[in-house]
Amino acid sequence: MENLKLGLICMTSISSQMIIEEAKKYFSQVDLIDIRKVEIMMNNKQTKVLYDGKELENYDCLYLKSSHRYAELMYGLTEIFKEDTFIPLQAQAHLLAHNKFLTHLTYAQNKILKMPDTYYAAKISETKNFLQTLNYPIILKFPSGTHGKGVIFSESSKSARSMVDALDVFKQPLIVQDYINIQSDIRVIVTGNKIAGSMRRIAAGGEIRANAHMGGNAEPYVVTSQIKEMCLEAAKRIGAKICAVDIIESDYGPLILEVNTSPGLQKITEVTKKNIAGEIAQYLFEETSKIKQSKDKLQSRDLMGQAGIEEIGERDFQIDLVVRNGKIVLPEFVTKMSSFRDEEEVTLKITDNKIEILKD
Ligand SMILES: Nc1ncnc2c1ncn2[C@@H]1O[C@H](COP(=O)(O)OP(=O)(O)O)[C@@H](O)[C@H]1O
Ligand SMILES: [Mg+2]
């Protein structure tokens, strides 16, 4: 196993702990970092990140997943560490995904990423005027609600207008959205270019929200090629290599509802019987290794120059061969430039004046 360090910056939920356990199979060090104990100190000379009062150590991989309350902090931490660390979510992903209005705005006019018709205004008075122009029922939503808690169903303009007045006490803008009459949604977990797992969630009787927190049930679901393409595109547009995408099926085809950069893993693991946390851990490890290897390659090129090793072609080098106790000893850069690992099974092809090492 390579010596790679993972830091998981999160709120220490059960899902995060599931990832930590799986990551221990791959990374040599895995740290659970409680985002609530993270501080950033900066001035014109330097930026320092503290964890529990001490400077945060360096990691090869940082995976940040937390609630919308810490979206700005996650944005900041990603910007600070992105040069030297593999981070599966771009800084902006935390702001975009934690706000359904910004998510929809990112996808607006995208040919693949269709959404229910969505409206958003700064002022409640504008929203109230708009409500009179709609066909009912409709959905009202808080942009950063989760677990179905910020989603409200309204059957008439009259009820919608009074709801909007009542909701004005929260002093938050509201999303108004077309209601899609199907009491289920599809939850898909994306890791890189793969779908790690997917399920169909069915709302409990009398409920329109399919979230498990709202008593919904779920069953395994195999994504169609269209939904797969949508989910990969949605993740890419938002800048998240790991995320969950919620999709609702309408008469006009599948529509995106939201992207979740900190999805719960218990339900989907139970329903799909797949090791989703394991898939995430493995993805983090593979990407981190790839980046580490290419960095090592660059570094070894520098070292080669310093050691006087001459490069005489794209991958040809002239060295003085070392044979010690009858064994050929190759310089370290040869190992680093290759992707060979210790104890890997290889085939040696040997002729009079040529040795080739091939991966099996
Ligand atoms: N426009 C809509 N039409 C019909 N049902 C909806 C709509 N928007 C949301 N829902 C239902 O409410 C649930 C929660 O909505 P979602 O936008 O995913 O917010 P949350 O972040 O709270 O999960 C969805 O899974 C779906 O069942
Ligand atoms: Mg949702």
Side-chain angles (χ1 to χ4, degrees):
M1 188 164 75
E2 276 174 90
N3 268 348
L4 293 177
K5 282 164 61 179
L6 165 72
L8 179 58
I9 303 187
C10 60
M11 297 197 13
T12 70
S13 66
I14 293 177
S15 300
S16 297
Q17 284 163 26
M18 287 162 77
I19 296 171
I20 289 281
E21 284 316 306
E22 291 297 325
K24 285 180 186 164
K25 296 179 187 163
Y26 300 98
F27 290 87
S28 55
Q29 183 184 328
V30 180
D31 290 348
L32 188 70
I33 300 163
D34 186 337
I35 195 160
R36 291 160 292 198
K37 295 184 190 167
V38 171
E39 304 158 87
I40 300 180
M41 280 166 49
M42 55 195 150
N43 59 29
N44 290 330
K45 290 196 203 88
Q46 60 171 349
T47 302
K48 257 193 193 172
V49 177
L50 304 182
Y51 179 53
D52 218 2
K54 288 192 220 83
E55 197 155 350
L56 186 72
E57 45 180 299
N58 288 327
Y59 291 92
D60 300 295
C61 176
L62 275 178
Y63 177 29
L64 294 96
K65 58 186 284 295
S66 170
S67 99
H68 70 95
R69 281 194 296 281
Y70 303 105
E72 287 83 5
L73 183 54
M74 289 190 281
Y75 177 99
L77 292 167
T78 308
E79 281 297 307
I80 293 167
F81 291 114
K82 69 179 184 188
E83 294 304 329
D84 300 316
T85 311
F86 171 63
I87 306 185
L89 279 82
Q90 288 171 23
Q92 101 238 355
H94 296 291
L95 303 184
L96 302 181
H98 281 296
N99 182 313
K100 293 180 176 69
F101 158 64
L102 294 180
T103 308
H104 286 309
L105 193 75
T106 308
Y107 301 152
Q109 283 105 51
N110 184 305
K111 293 215 164 44
I112 306 173
L113 303 175
K114 301 265 192 304
M115 64 177 101
D117 281 0
T118 299
Y119 170 91
Y120 182 82
K123 291 197 68 181
I124 220 84
S125 53
E126 301 303 321
T127 305
K128 277 178 78 178
N129 288 338
F130 180 72
L131 290 174
Q132 285 170 312
T133 68
L134 298 175
N135 292 323
Y136 282 78
I138 56 150
I139 292 282
L140 299 168
K141 256 186 221 188
F142 284 120
S144 51
T146 50
H147 304 325
K149 283 181 198 147
V151 175
I152 303 144
F153 173 78
S154 175
E155 266 170 310
S156 69
S157 156
K158 211 160 129 193
S159 80
R161 285 164 61 80
S162 53
M163 274 179 196
V164 163
D165 275 334
L167 293 170
D168 197 28
V169 296
F170 296 110
K171 292 290 165 223
Q172 276 192 46
L174 271 173
I175 290 174
V176 181
Q177 195 163 68
D178 256 9
Y179 168 67
I180 309 300
N181 189 6
I182 177 165
Q183 283 68 46
S184 68
D185 77 355
I186 294 160
R187 159 63 59 111
V188 183
I189 307 271
V190 174
T191 48
N193 291 323
K194 268 175 60 183
I195 305 298
S198 53
M199 61 180 172
R200 185 194 295 281
R201 301 184 296 190
I202 302 127
E207 178 55 70
I208 58 120
R209 297 162 294 181
N211 307 63
H213 285 83
M214 291 298 149
N217 254 319
E219 60 189 29
Y221 171 83
V222 180
V223 288
T224 61
S225 58
Q226 183 190 13
I227 289 185
K228 179 176 176 182
E229 192 190 2
M230 276 176 88
C231 293
L232 297 183
E233 176 74 6
K236 193 168 136 198
R237 292 279 153 224
I238 225 125
K241 299 260 171 63
I242 303 172
C243 62
V245 184
D246 287 353
I247 290 194
I248 194 160
E249 283 171 305
S250 77
D251 294 343
Y252 328 101
L255 307 173
I256 295 255
L257 282 186
E258 66 157 343
V259 172
N260 192 325
T261 47
S262 179
L265 301 181
Q266 285 157 286
K267 189 76 183 175
I268 196 153
T269 303
E270 180 194 313
V271 170
T272 60
K273 300 197 170 55
K274 281 188 180 168
N275 183 359
I276 307 284
E279 292 276 332
I280 293 175
Q282 188 182 359
Y283 173 74
L284 290 172
F285 176 74
E286 282 172 1
E287 291 304 302
T288 310
S289 309
K290 268 192 226 160
I291 288 178
K292 186 85 197 280
Q293 273 173 22
S294 57
K295 261 202 231 152
D296 283 352
K297 277 183 195 172
L298 282 177
Q299 217 178 22
S300 48
R301 273 176 198 271
D302 279 357
L303 290 175
M304 273 161 28
Q306 286 160 21
I309 294 159
E310 209 180 324
E311 206 168 338
I312 54 170
E314 202 181 328
R315 293 191 73 89
D316 300 335
F317 305 92
Q318 209 142 46
I319 59 166
D320 292 329
L321 199 67
V322 179
V323 182
R324 205 170 287 149
N325 298 331
K327 291 179 186 167
I328 295 177
V329 184
L330 293 174
E332 199 181 342
F333 84 88
V334 179
T335 324
K336 285 196 167 158
M337 282 196 67
S338 74
S339 51
F340 291 118
R341 304 233 175 102
D342 192 28
E343 303 208 348
E344 192 163 21
E345 264 186 47
V346 294
T347 305
L348 286 181
K349 281 195 185 176
I350 307 172
T351 54
D352 192 18
N353 54 6
K354 189 173 173 182
I355 304 173
E356 272 183 291
I357 311 175
L358 303 171
K359 266 196 202 229
D360 283 348

